[in-house]
Amino acid sequence: MDAGTAGAGAPLPAVIAIDGPTASGKGTIAQRVAERLGWHYLDSGALYRLAALRALRAGLPLDVPDAAVLAALAGGMAPVFEGGRIRMDGDDVTDAIRAEAVGDAASRIAGLPAVRAALVDLQRRARRAPGLVADGRDMGTVIFPDAALKVFLTASAESRAERRYKQLIEKGFSANIADLLRDLRARDARDSSRAEAPLKPAEGALVLDSTHLSVDETTQVVLDAYGRLRQG
Ligand code: CDP
């Protein structure tokens, strides 16, 4: 089956869900796949990062988080994604949300069920024709359980730390591989062990280890898997 159905209504646009741990290359691969198919792209992690940035800017404590306040703040966001840039609260926050401190804060608030619930609609509204490629931690398990194709993208912790290092340096942030590796392992542990929507492969997911694959090769594996589904 190619797309989910909403009760008796018209079939919903197809979704390809790409989940995986931090710095596994989900974003790059999901964007490439979306470009090749001419589909929309949802960076769900950006929403958690945006909520975290809002919380940090508001000076809210994240070690003893107030779930209701954070959920209201997440649910009240109206980010604008345009031309590869993200604007929120009158500011261009495209680069600010990529800081490691914001990623870390995102992973903390992402463990709160109320925050996750507040972001569900915003994510599901991204499902528009002709199709959506969505990347995150729970795209295939929770947000789009009827996704046509579910991919769980991994890579070794060392190669993910190296990729993240390059990404941060390119964006003008300072970074250190040993610190990145430590933080990445901590984030993996937090994302995988939380009770709500833990990071894990969805049932039936294609588990793809990209440690020794290039971006082009990984993109092609996903496109081929989707092509086979459509033929089958
Ligand atoms: O780029 P990276 O993989 O490090 O992070 P991201 O995808 O931008 O997500 C930042 C944080 O948000 C993650 O560490 C997760 O804790 C959380 N997140 C989540 O819980 N569920 C999602 N669907 C996406 C992100």
Side-chain angles (χ1 to χ4, degrees):
M1 197 170 67
D2 201 15
T5 49
L12 290 168
V15 174
I16 295 179
I18 304 187
D19 291 305
T22 184
S24 58
K26 307 175 300 288
T28 307
I29 302 305
Q31 283 180 69
R32 295 283 182 103
V33 170
E35 264 164 36
R36 292 274 296 273
L37 293 171
W39 287 10
H40 300 282
Y41 164 60
L42 169 67
D43 173 2
S44 65
L47 299 179
Y48 287 91
R49 285 172 179 267
L50 286 164
L53 182 68
R54 260 192 145 192
L56 291 172
R57 286 187 171 173
L60 296 176
L62 298 184
D63 37 351
V64 200
D66 183 328
V69 170
L70 288 166
L73 184 139
M77 298 190 301
V80 179
F81 293 78
E82 214 169 49
R85 309 295 301 175
I86 309 173
R87 297 187 63 79
M88 184 175 67
D89 302 329
D91 236 2
D92 186 322
V93 292
T94 321
D95 298 323
I97 61 163
R98 296 298 153 198
E100 278 304 282
V102 178
D104 191 70
S107 150
R108 287 173 195 278
I109 66 167
L112 301 170
V115 169
R116 304 200 71 83
L119 291 175
V120 169
D121 276 356
L122 206 52
Q123 295 172 85
R124 293 205 174 130
R125 269 189 264 134
R127 186 174 194 167
R128 284 176 284 126
L132 176 72
V133 185
D135 93 65
R137 302 292 190 289
D138 61 345
M139 298 296 96
T141 50
V142 176
I143 304 297
F144 303 112
D146 62 339
L149 174 66
K150 300 176 184 182
V151 178
F152 191 78
L153 189 64
T154 62
S156 70
E158 289 74 14
S159 65
R160 288 189 283 127
E162 238 167 77
R163 289 174 190 177
R164 179 50 49 90
Y165 177 79
K166 282 191 196 143
Q167 211 178 39
L168 288 169
I169 296 295
E170 270 166 26
K171 287 191 194 302
F173 290 108
S174 65
N176 159 314
I177 297 247
D179 289 350
L180 285 173
L181 188 57
R182 192 199 54 224
D183 293 352
L184 176 148
R185 288 198 162 117
R187 186 113 69 94
D188 282 357
R190 204 184 302 136
D191 287 353
S192 310
S193 64
R194 68 183 177 216
E196 186 82 7
L199 170 67
K200 62 168 187 200
E203 216 181 302
L206 165 70
V207 178
L208 182 53
D209 184 337
S210 70
T211 306
H212 303 294
L213 296 178
S214 67
V215 167
D216 284 348
E217 286 166 336
T218 312
T219 304
Q220 200 54 49
V221 174
V222 175
L223 287 168
D224 288 349
Y226 183 62
R228 279 197 302 277
L229 268 182
R230 289 179 53 120
Q231 279 163 14

